[in-house]
Amino acid sequence: MMTETMPQSGFYAKARQGMPGLIDQWRRLGRGDADRLALILAETARVAHLGDPEATPDGATLKAWSQPGAQNDIPLWAARTATFLLVQMPARPMPQSEQEACSWAYCWLLNRDFDSVEAAREALPEHLRERLVHAVGAAWADRQGLRLI
């Protein structure tokens, strides 16, 4: 199988595996009940042009997305938007695992346009630079590899 020989496939799998933790961190740190947080996530996605949710999820869906193993159920707009919101939080949250760091980095590159990996790293908030330096490099390599296909 072609994807098994491509180094990029490992990064993407890690990024997907980290998405439940990313959603869970937003759910835990966001202000309000689960239904309100789900609404904020969907509305922010729409307003910030991070995706176009077909429907606004409810709190139960948000909770389900934050469970280990839910990575295949999480729409990309939700992960992108959670990253967008977490990066701006005054609490300065950080990824809690290597997989989460991959998710943050993957979404960071999807949420903004960068000319180089250095520019992507420099644009990170100061508190995230050290934690995400390697993950952003891996996300960049993954993205560049996909462009060659």
Side-chain angles (χ1 to χ4, degrees):
M1 181 178 200
M2 177 94 170
T3 56
E4 289 178 18
T5 63
M6 297 175 64
Q8 294 84 3
S9 63
F11 173 80
Y12 183 73
K14 283 183 188 177
R16 288 302 296 188
Q17 289 167 1
M19 287 182 186
L22 176 68
I23 298 292
D24 187 50
Q25 195 162 172
W26 159 246
R27 195 173 62 89
R28 288 183 290 107
L29 296 176
R31 295 189 178 198
D33 64 33
D35 285 332
R36 182 172 181 272
L37 292 174
L39 174 66
I40 290 170
L41 199 66
E43 288 302 312
T44 302
R46 292 176 182 114
V47 171
H49 305 288
L50 299 172
D52 191 19
E54 291 179 21
T56 299
D58 59 17
T61 300
L62 189 64
K63 184 175 181 182
W65 289 345
S66 68
Q67 302 303 307
Q71 61 265 21
N72 295 328
D73 299 327
I74 300 169
L76 193 51
W77 68 261
R80 290 180 65 186
T81 307
T83 301
F84 176 82
L85 293 166
L86 286 168
V87 164
Q88 299 179 58
M89 285 185 138
R92 298 167 45 144
M94 296 191 33
Q96 301 300 304
S97 69
E98 180 187 357
Q99 290 82 7
E100 276 185 57
C102 289
S103 293
W104 285 54
Y106 180 75
C107 293
W108 178 252
L109 292 185
L110 289 176
N111 287 353
R112 299 177 60 180
D113 289 324
F114 299 103
D115 293 330
S116 68
V117 66
E118 294 81 15
R121 288 174 172 150
E122 280 296 311
L124 284 165
E126 185 69 37
H127 74 281
L128 291 171
R129 284 188 187 154
E130 185 177 329
R131 179 71 172 102
L132 293 180
V133 67
H134 296 297
V136 167
W140 186 268
D142 182 75
R143 190 173 80 168
Q144 296 305 105
L146 294 177
R147 287 184 180 167
L148 299 176
I149 295 174

